[in-house]
Amino acid sequence: MNCTKNTEKTNDSAEGCDATTRDALIAWLRSTKQELRRLSREVARTNECTVRILGQLHTAAERSDVVSQLSRTFYTVEQAAELLKLNAATVRRYCCTGRIRKACRVGRSYRIPAEALELFMELNPKPSDNVPA
């Protein structure tokens, strides 16, 4: 009996919905649907702008890395050999084998960043440097 009464109440309330209320609900749903479409387009545009800005930032970061690399001090094999008090062929071999790190090949020769030479000198002290004077 209770189930029947609940069902009847539901049916009565659905039938009680007049045309004006139904039309208002339909209008509200349409306007909500249009608003959702507009917001979706706006989000898509925002995402495109965000992707474009991130791409520009990435490109700018790459450029600044290149500029900072170009502004560093580089030595030729002969200059490095003079600083390290080694033969130029030895320095060239160290560059080739990777013992001197970050040496860049330019044509047939190498360019060695100053910090790579500093690191090499720290890791490979010459025996004559350790002798007390």
Side-chain angles (χ1 to χ4, degrees), residues 12-25:
D12 287 342
S13 64
E15 288 174 7
C17 183
D18 61 350
T20 308
T21 307
R22 192 173 352 110
D23 291 342
L25 283 172

PDB file of all heavy atoms in Angstrom, residues 12-25:
ATOM      1  N   ASP A  12       1.538  12.123  -9.623  1.00  0.00           N
ATOM      2  CA  ASP A  12       0.755  13.340  -9.455  1.00  0.00           C
ATOM      3  C   ASP A  12       1.648  14.572  -9.609  1.00  0.00           C
ATOM      4  O   ASP A  12       1.263  15.544 -10.240  1.00  0.00           O
ATOM      5  CB  ASP A  12       0.069  13.366  -8.083  1.00  0.00           C
ATOM      6  CG  ASP A  12      -1.087  12.383  -8.009  1.00  0.00           C
ATOM      7  OD1 ASP A  12      -1.540  11.968  -9.098  1.00  0.00           O
ATOM      8  OD2 ASP A  12      -1.488  12.029  -6.893  1.00  0.00           O
ATOM      9  N   SER A  13       2.869  14.507  -9.026  1.00  0.00           N
ATOM     10  CA  SER A  13       3.739  15.669  -9.118  1.00  0.00           C
ATOM     11  C   SER A  13       4.220  15.882 -10.547  1.00  0.00           C
ATOM     12  O   SER A  13       4.410  17.008 -10.975  1.00  0.00           O
ATOM     13  CB  SER A  13       4.920  15.536  -8.152  1.00  0.00           C
ATOM     14  OG  SER A  13       5.721  14.443  -8.521  1.00  0.00           O
ATOM     15  N   ALA A  14       4.445  14.813 -11.311  1.00  0.00           N
ATOM     16  CA  ALA A  14       4.871  14.942 -12.700  1.00  0.00           C
ATOM     17  C   ALA A  14       3.747  15.517 -13.543  1.00  0.00           C
ATOM     18  O   ALA A  14       3.975  16.329 -14.424  1.00  0.00           O
ATOM     19  CB  ALA A  14       5.311  13.598 -13.251  1.00  0.00           C
ATOM     20  N   GLU A  15       2.529  15.073 -13.264  1.00  0.00           N
ATOM     21  CA  GLU A  15       1.392  15.585 -14.022  1.00  0.00           C
ATOM     22  C   GLU A  15       1.101  17.021 -13.649  1.00  0.00           C
ATOM     23  O   GLU A  15       0.582  17.788 -14.437  1.00  0.00           O
ATOM     24  CB  GLU A  15       0.159  14.714 -13.759  1.00  0.00           C
ATOM     25  CG  GLU A  15       0.244  13.367 -14.411  1.00  0.00           C
ATOM     26  CD  GLU A  15      -0.929  12.473 -14.016  1.00  0.00           C
ATOM     27  OE1 GLU A  15      -1.850  12.949 -13.351  1.00  0.00           O
ATOM     28  OE2 GLU A  15      -0.891  11.305 -14.394  1.00  0.00           O
ATOM     29  N   GLY A  16       1.476  17.408 -12.415  1.00  0.00           N
ATOM     30  CA  GLY A  16       1.208  18.747 -11.941  1.00  0.00           C
ATOM     31  C   GLY A  16       2.092  19.796 -12.595  1.00  0.00           C
ATOM     32  O   GLY A  16       1.878  20.987 -12.433  1.00  0.00           O
ATOM     33  N   CYS A  17       3.131  19.373 -13.336  1.00  0.00           N
ATOM     34  CA  CYS A  17       4.058  20.292 -13.998  1.00  0.00           C
ATOM     35  C   CYS A  17       3.331  20.926 -15.184  1.00  0.00           C
ATOM     36  O   CYS A  17       2.928  20.245 -16.116  1.00  0.00           O
ATOM     37  CB  CYS A  17       5.295  19.526 -14.453  1.00  0.00           C
ATOM     38  SG  CYS A  17       6.529  20.567 -15.201  1.00  0.00           S
ATOM     39  N   ASP A  18       3.158  22.220 -15.150  1.00  0.00           N
ATOM     40  CA  ASP A  18       2.425  22.873 -16.231  1.00  0.00           C
ATOM     41  C   ASP A  18       3.354  23.214 -17.389  1.00  0.00           C
ATOM     42  O   ASP A  18       4.573  23.098 -17.308  1.00  0.00           O
ATOM     43  CB  ASP A  18       1.691  24.113 -15.709  1.00  0.00           C
ATOM     44  CG  ASP A  18       2.641  25.145 -15.135  1.00  0.00           C
ATOM     45  OD1 ASP A  18       3.835  24.815 -14.977  1.00  0.00           O
ATOM     46  OD2 ASP A  18       2.197  26.262 -14.845  1.00  0.00           O
ATOM     47  N   ALA A  19       2.803  23.650 -18.476  1.00  0.00           N
ATOM     48  CA  ALA A  19       3.551  23.941 -19.700  1.00  0.00           C
ATOM     49  C   ALA A  19       4.524  25.097 -19.491  1.00  0.00           C
ATOM     50  O   ALA A  19       5.628  25.100 -20.037  1.00  0.00           O
ATOM     51  CB  ALA A  19       2.574  24.255 -20.828  1.00  0.00           C
ATOM     52  N   THR A  20       4.167  26.050 -18.676  1.00  0.00           N
ATOM     53  CA  THR A  20       5.036  27.208 -18.435  1.00  0.00           C
ATOM     54  C   THR A  20       6.320  26.777 -17.738  1.00  0.00           C
ATOM     55  O   THR A  20       7.417  27.177 -18.137  1.00  0.00           O
ATOM     56  CB  THR A  20       4.309  28.247 -17.556  1.00  0.00           C
ATOM     57  OG1 THR A  20       3.037  28.536 -18.132  1.00  0.00           O
ATOM     58  CG2 THR A  20       5.120  29.509 -17.432  1.00  0.00           C
ATOM     59  N   THR A  21       6.190  25.925 -16.727  1.00  0.00           N
ATOM     60  CA  THR A  21       7.361  25.439 -16.001  1.00  0.00           C
ATOM     61  C   THR A  21       8.242  24.600 -16.917  1.00  0.00           C
ATOM     62  O   THR A  21       9.469  24.722 -16.909  1.00  0.00           O
ATOM     63  CB  THR A  21       6.920  24.619 -14.778  1.00  0.00           C
ATOM     64  OG1 THR A  21       6.005  25.384 -14.005  1.00  0.00           O
ATOM     65  CG2 THR A  21       8.111  24.222 -13.932  1.00  0.00           C
ATOM     66  N   ARG A  22       7.605  23.736 -17.712  1.00  0.00           N
ATOM     67  CA  ARG A  22       8.348  22.881 -18.641  1.00  0.00           C
ATOM     68  C   ARG A  22       9.098  23.740 -19.651  1.00  0.00           C
ATOM     69  O   ARG A  22      10.274  23.523 -19.933  1.00  0.00           O
ATOM     70  CB  ARG A  22       7.390  21.933 -19.347  1.00  0.00           C
ATOM     71  CG  ARG A  22       8.105  20.835 -20.099  1.00  0.00           C
ATOM     72  CD  ARG A  22       7.190  19.758 -20.681  1.00  0.00           C
ATOM     73  NE  ARG A  22       5.806  19.814 -20.290  1.00  0.00           N
ATOM     74  CZ  ARG A  22       4.791  20.161 -21.103  1.00  0.00           C
ATOM     75  NH1 ARG A  22       5.008  20.491 -22.354  1.00  0.00           N
ATOM     76  NH2 ARG A  22       3.539  20.191 -20.662  1.00  0.00           N
ATOM     77  N   ASP A  23       8.442  24.755 -20.197  1.00  0.00           N
ATOM     78  CA  ASP A  23       9.091  25.646 -21.165  1.00  0.00           C
ATOM     79  C   ASP A  23      10.255  26.414 -20.519  1.00  0.00           C
ATOM     80  O   ASP A  23      11.294  26.623 -21.136  1.00  0.00           O
ATOM     81  CB  ASP A  23       8.075  26.628 -21.747  1.00  0.00           C
ATOM     82  CG  ASP A  23       7.057  25.941 -22.652  1.00  0.00           C
ATOM     83  OD1 ASP A  23       7.340  24.800 -23.086  1.00  0.00           O
ATOM     84  OD2 ASP A  23       5.991  26.539 -22.904  1.00  0.00           O
ATOM     85  N   ALA A  24      10.062  26.808 -19.261  1.00  0.00           N
ATOM     86  CA  ALA A  24      11.135  27.506 -18.549  1.00  0.00           C
ATOM     87  C   ALA A  24      12.329  26.592 -18.342  1.00  0.00           C
ATOM     88  O   ALA A  24      13.487  27.011 -18.497  1.00  0.00           O
ATOM     89  CB  ALA A  24      10.613  28.027 -17.209  1.00  0.00           C
ATOM     90  N   LEU A  25      12.056  25.335 -17.993  1.00  0.00           N
ATOM     91  CA  LEU A  25      13.154  24.371 -17.823  1.00  0.00           C
ATOM     92  C   LEU A  25      13.881  24.130 -19.138  1.00  0.00           C
ATOM     93  O   LEU A  25      15.117  24.078 -19.180  1.00  0.00           O
ATOM     94  CB  LEU A  25      12.619  23.050 -17.265  1.00  0.00           C
ATOM     95  CG  LEU A  25      12.294  23.034 -15.779  1.00  0.00           C
ATOM     96  CD1 LEU A  25      11.599  21.730 -15.416  1.00  0.00           C
ATOM     97  CD2 LEU A  25      13.545  23.202 -14.964  1.00  0.00           C
TER      98      LEU A  25
END
